[in-house]
Structures are given as structure tokens and as C-alpha cells.
Amino acid sequence: ASDAAQTSSTAEMSFGKDLRLFISSEVLGIGYLNVGVSMNCVCMFIDHAGKMLFPQLTWMRMVGRLAFPLFAYGIAVGAAMTRHPRQYIARVAALALVSQPLYAGALGHTNEAMYAVPFAQHPLRALCTFYMESWEKPSILFALLLGLLLLLCLREKQYIPALLIYVLCARFSAELDYGVSGIGLMVIFYLFLEHPALCFAASTAYMLVWSADGHGYPLFGMEFGMRIFATPAVMLASLPIRRKTRTPKWLSYGFYPAHLLALLALEKFF
């Protein structure tokens, strides 16, 4: 019995090692994730700049649609590769906690309850109220955190907790940025991570179906929403991009709150 358990454990370790080698060399190439992170940041900045500063420029919002699939793919790869799941979860959670009030204030997701307490009279209480009420509409980081937790459960073969997380996401889909459909895209990327061609086909089909719930952009005799412009991003799941670039970790995690602060400052001049 102990020999069988040891063999099973060795097989799992070998699989994990093979998966990391496969992702880091054959599929992603050197520095793929760093290139992906850079593209995420650029697309997200263009999207948010379009919403905050140039709402009349629709093309900026179209470019911004590319960001979420890249984030979703990054979470899938991170869940498969990380050797320190708890630290990874803690980093994403901390980023979500820090960025939430900036997200709500910068992107217009405020509500009356956030300003219910006068700052001049009760500054500390006003700040706490502003922060707590800002969670009425969580940022994309909260959805990415839930997706990460679900994928790590799948990785550890904890299927019941994974199912419970998915059901929770479905229950509160309207409050999540990109809804439960965004969580589904992360799952597809994760399940087909070792099979780039299948990943491309499955994620493309998923994006087309997901985009069909909108209107305004005809294609193939059908009406799609603006999300259709996110479909090209799934091509990155099967392109062996090779770059020797390295993105500092602090930049990867710090860009989200930093770009919101920068846009808030720029908004004052427009």
C-alpha cells in the first residue's frame, strides 16, 4: 500500500514538473507571461482611459476588451505553475483590497451610501464607510481571486469546494465583473492548458457564444456585443511567443492601483 502511495505521489510530482516545463518552454516560450502582463496593462489602461477621459472614442473600449482574456489566461497559468499557492492567493487578495476604493471612485461605481457620512465631521468613519460601501460593485480583481481559488481547488482535486465556489459565483454573477462567464473562461484556459490547439478552439467558441448576448456589431449574419473584440486575445493561448523580457513583480501587481491613480489625476485636467 505504501509503495502504491509513493508511486502515486511520484507520478503527481512528475506531472507537475512536466506541466511547468511544458508551459514555460513549449507553449509560452521565454517570458511569455511577462509579455502577456505587459499587453494586459496596455489594453487595460487604454480601456479605462477611454472610459474616463475619452468616452467619445469607441475604439479605446474595443481595444480594452482584449484585457480580460489575457488576465484570465494569466490566472490559469499561475494556478498551474505556482509553487506557493497561499502566497499567490494573498498577493491577489491584498491587491483587490487595496485597489477597490480606487476602482469604485475612478470608474464611476460610486453610490450614495459611500458618501453617507460627512468627512468633515467624522473623517475616520467616513473613510471606513466609503471603503465598505465601495464593495457593492467589486473590481475585476475580486473575480480573478475567486477564479484563482477555484482553479487551485481543481489542481488539488478538491472538486466539491471548486463546485461550491462556482455555484457562489453563479449566484452573485450580476455583482461580479464579467460575471460567472468570466470564471468559466478561466476554467477553460486551465483545463486545456496542455493542449494549445484545443484551448484555442474551445476558448474561441466560448467567446463567440458569450458575445452573442449583446448587439450592435454584426458578424457572420449574427449580432454580437462589444465583447466580440476580446476574441483575438485567446489566440495568445496557442502562440509560442519567445521573449527574454522580465517584468518586475512589483510592477505586475502595482500597475492596477497606480494606473487608476494616474487616470484620476489626469481626469482633473480634462
Side-chain angles (χ1 to χ4, degrees):
S2 62
D3 291 342
Q6 184 175 0
T7 301
S8 176
S9 176
T10 303
E12 289 182 5
M13 292 177 61
S14 177
F15 172 78
K17 181 179 180 181
D18 291 343
L19 178 60
R20 284 192 291 272
L21 289 172
F22 179 84
I23 293 171
S24 62
S25 60
E26 296 180 19
V27 178
L28 301 180
I30 301 173
Y32 176 91
L33 283 179
N34 295 288
V35 174
V37 167
S38 300
M39 293 185 67
N40 289 350
C41 294
V42 170
C43 292
M44 180 173 61
F45 186 88
I46 291 173
D47 182 37
H48 292 167
K51 181 173 183 177
M52 295 175 64
L53 306 177
F54 308 103
Q56 73 280 11
L57 300 180
T58 307
W59 69 265
M60 297 183 75
R61 306 308 308 280
M62 293 177 178
V63 171
R65 298 311 92 197
L66 296 169
F68 181 74
L70 299 178
F71 276 117
Y73 187 65
I75 287 292
V77 174
M81 293 182 66
T82 184
R83 297 179 181 179
H84 307 286
R86 292 183 180 179
Q87 294 179 21
Y88 190 13
I89 292 170
R91 286 196 298 268
V92 177
L95 186 60
L97 291 170
V98 170
S99 302
Q100 179 58 33
L102 293 173
Y103 164 80
L107 298 178
H109 297 297
T110 56
N111 55 73
E112 292 183 3
M114 293 171 65
Y115 302 97
V117 180
F119 181 80
Q121 299 177 15
H122 307 283
L124 183 58
R125 183 181 167 193
L127 289 174
C128 291
T129 300
F130 183 92
Y131 181 82
M132 295 303 296
E133 296 297 336
S134 72
W135 283 94
E136 182 181 36
K137 178 62 178 177
S139 75
I140 187 178
L141 295 171
F142 186 64
L144 295 177
L145 175 61
L146 290 174
L148 174 61
L149 291 171
L150 191 156
L151 297 184
L152 288 174
C153 286
L154 291 178
R155 178 175 124 165
E156 301 302 322
K157 298 181 174 59
Q158 300 294 323
Y159 299 121
I160 293 179
L163 179 60
L164 290 176
I165 294 173
Y166 186 84
V167 170
L168 181 67
C169 292
R171 171 64 180 80
F172 297 99
S173 182
E175 283 73 36
L176 284 180
D177 209 5
Y178 293 94
V180 70
S181 297
I183 304 296
L185 183 62
M186 296 182 219
V187 172
I188 287 177
F189 279 140
Y190 180 81
L191 293 179
F192 293 100
L193 206 54
E194 291 185 273
H195 309 283
L198 290 176
C199 184
F200 171 74
S203 56
T204 299
Y206 187 86
M207 287 302 304
L208 290 173
V209 173
W210 189 11
S211 303
D213 65 354
H215 58 85
Y217 300 92
L219 184 67
F220 306 127
M222 298 178 60
E223 284 281 328
F224 294 93
M226 188 179 286
R227 194 173 288 115
I228 190 66
F229 296 101
T231 305
V234 302
M235 295 177 63
L236 294 177
S238 58
L239 291 178
I241 299 174
R242 299 185 180 277
R243 298 287 187 273
K244 294 184 179 181
T245 58
R246 287 292 181 269
T247 303
K249 186 175 292 186
W250 64 265
L251 179 60
S252 302
Y253 287 96
F255 183 84
Y256 190 86
H259 95 282
L260 292 176
L261 284 171
L263 288 173
L264 279 169
L266 288 172
E267 192 178 33
K268 300 299 181 182
F269 298 97
F270 284 87

